[in-house]
C-alpha cells in the first residue's frame, strides 16, 4: 500500500534528523554538513533545506535533544533527596550540566543564544518549552529548600523561586561565555566560581 505524501514527508524529515544525530555523535556538531546529512539520509541536499530551512534549523534540533536529555536525567522528585547534604552543590551541578551542553562547541553556544532570543529577535517555541521545563524543575527544588526548616544553609526568603532561577540563568550564560571566549579555560574553576555566585545570591544573609 502506497503511503500518503504527508506520511512520506514525515518519514523523510525523521530520516534526515536521524542522520544529523548520527553524524553529530560521530564527528561533532561543527563538522556536520548538509552534504553529509543528505548522503547519510539518502536524500537530495535540497530535501534537507526543504524540511529544516537551513543547517541552523536542523542542528537546533540536535541541541534541543540535549536540553531535553537534561530534563529526563534529573527530575527533582525522583533523584533529589528530601534533605540534601549540599543544596548549594546540587544547584551548582545543575547549572554546570547546562553549561556543559551549551559550551560543547561554538556552534552549540551560538544556536542556544539564537534560539533563546539573545542574538535573534524571536525565541523558538520548542526551546522556550524545554527551558521553561528545566526552569520549573529548578524552581520546584528551590521552593522545597525555601520552605524547609531543616535544609542547611537556609535559602533567602525575599525573592520567589522563579526570580531566583532568573538570576541563576544569568550566571550560567555568563559562565558559558567566559568559557567559549577563553577568559576561563578550566571547567573546575568555573564550577568553583558559580558556586560562589550561588552562595552569595541564594543564601539567607
Amino acid at each position: 500500500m502506497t503511503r500518503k505524501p504527508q506520511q512520506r514527508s514525515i518519514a523523510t524529515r525523521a530520516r534526515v534528523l536521524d542522520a544529523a544525530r548520527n553524524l553529530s555523535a560521530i564527528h561533532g556538531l561543527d563538522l556536520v554538513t548538509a552534504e553529509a546529512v543528505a548522503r547519510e539520509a539518502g536524500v537530495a541536499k535540497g530535501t534537507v533545506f526543504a524540511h529544516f530551512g537551513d543547517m541552523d534549523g536542523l542542528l537546533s534540533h540536535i541541541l534541543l535533544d540535549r536540553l531535553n536529555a537534561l530534563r529526563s536525567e534529573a527530575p527533582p522528585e525522583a533523584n533529589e533527596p528530601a534533605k540534601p547534604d549540599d543544596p548549594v552543590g546540587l544547584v551548582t551541578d545543575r547549572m554546570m550540566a547546562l553549561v556543559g551542553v551549551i559550551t560543547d562547541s561554538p556552534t552549540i553556544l551560538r544556536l542556544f543564544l539564537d534560539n533563546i532570543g539573545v542574538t535573534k529577535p524571536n525565541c523558538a517555541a520548542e526551546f522556550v518549552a524545554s527551558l521553561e521545563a528545566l526552569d520549573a524543575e529548578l524552581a520546584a527544588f528551590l521552593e522545597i529548600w525555601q520552605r524547609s526548616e531543616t535544609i542547611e544553609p537556609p535559602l533567602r526568603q525575599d525573592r520567589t523561586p522563579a526570580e531566583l532561577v532568573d538570576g541563576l540563568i544569568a550566571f550560567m550564560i555568563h559562565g558559558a561565555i567566559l568559557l567559549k571566549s577563553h577568559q576561563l579555560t578550566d571547567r573546575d574553576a568555573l564550577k568553583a566560581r558559580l558556586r560562589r555566585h550561588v552562595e552569595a545570591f541564594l543564601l539567607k544573609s
Side-chain angles (χ1 to χ4, degrees):
M1 186 176 180
T2 304
R3 289 185 295 178
K4 296 179 180 179
Q6 184 178 10
Q7 291 174 319
R8 290 199 298 272
S9 178
I10 292 171
T12 301
R13 178 184 172 88
R15 195 161 72 248
V16 169
L17 187 52
D18 284 343
R21 287 171 175 147
N22 292 338
L23 291 169
S24 68
I26 297 169
H27 303 294
L29 207 67
D30 290 334
L31 298 180
V32 176
T33 64
E35 292 82 3
V37 171
R39 188 165 53 250
E40 177 84 3
V43 300
K45 179 179 172 181
T47 301
V48 175
F49 296 134
H51 283 279
F52 294 95
D54 55 21
M55 283 303 292
D56 280 359
L58 173 58
L59 297 180
S60 289
H61 282 77
I62 310 299
L63 171 56
L64 189 60
D65 286 345
R66 298 179 185 182
L67 292 175
N68 287 334
L70 292 179
R71 292 167 54 188
S72 61
E73 284 174 5
E77 65 276 9
N79 292 343
E80 290 168 4
K83 184 182 176 183
D85 293 330
D86 182 15
V88 171
L90 192 153
V91 171
T92 305
D93 286 346
R94 278 180 160 247
M95 295 169 70
M96 284 300 297
L98 180 56
V99 168
V101 167
I102 66 177
T103 60
D104 182 60
S105 72
T107 298
I108 284 279
L109 181 59
R110 178 179 60 77
L111 291 174
F112 178 80
L113 294 176
D114 284 351
N115 280 288
I116 64 172
V118 173
T119 50
K120 287 187 176 180
N122 298 312
C123 300
E126 299 94 335
F127 279 82
V128 171
S130 183
L131 292 170
E132 283 182 347
L134 285 169
D135 292 351
E137 288 180 359
L138 183 53
F141 172 70
L142 294 179
E143 184 175 6
I144 292 170
W145 185 1
Q146 205 170 50
R147 291 180 176 181
S148 173
E149 297 180 357
T150 59
I151 297 178
E152 294 289 343
L155 189 67
R156 65 189 292 182
Q157 303 288 321
D158 61 332
R159 292 290 183 270
T160 67
E163 290 171 328
L164 296 177
V165 168
D166 286 344
L168 296 177
I169 291 169
F171 292 140
M172 280 187 285
I173 292 176
H174 182 238
I177 291 171
L178 287 177
L179 274 181
K180 297 317 290 183
S181 63
H182 303 292
Q183 296 179 62
L184 271 179
T185 57
D186 186 341
R187 289 180 183 269
D188 288 337
L190 175 60
K191 183 175 181 179
R193 182 189 181 112
L194 284 178
R195 184 181 177 103
R196 290 194 297 272
H197 286 328
V198 171
E199 289 174 338
F201 180 61
L202 290 187
L203 299 188
K204 191 174 182 179
S205 57

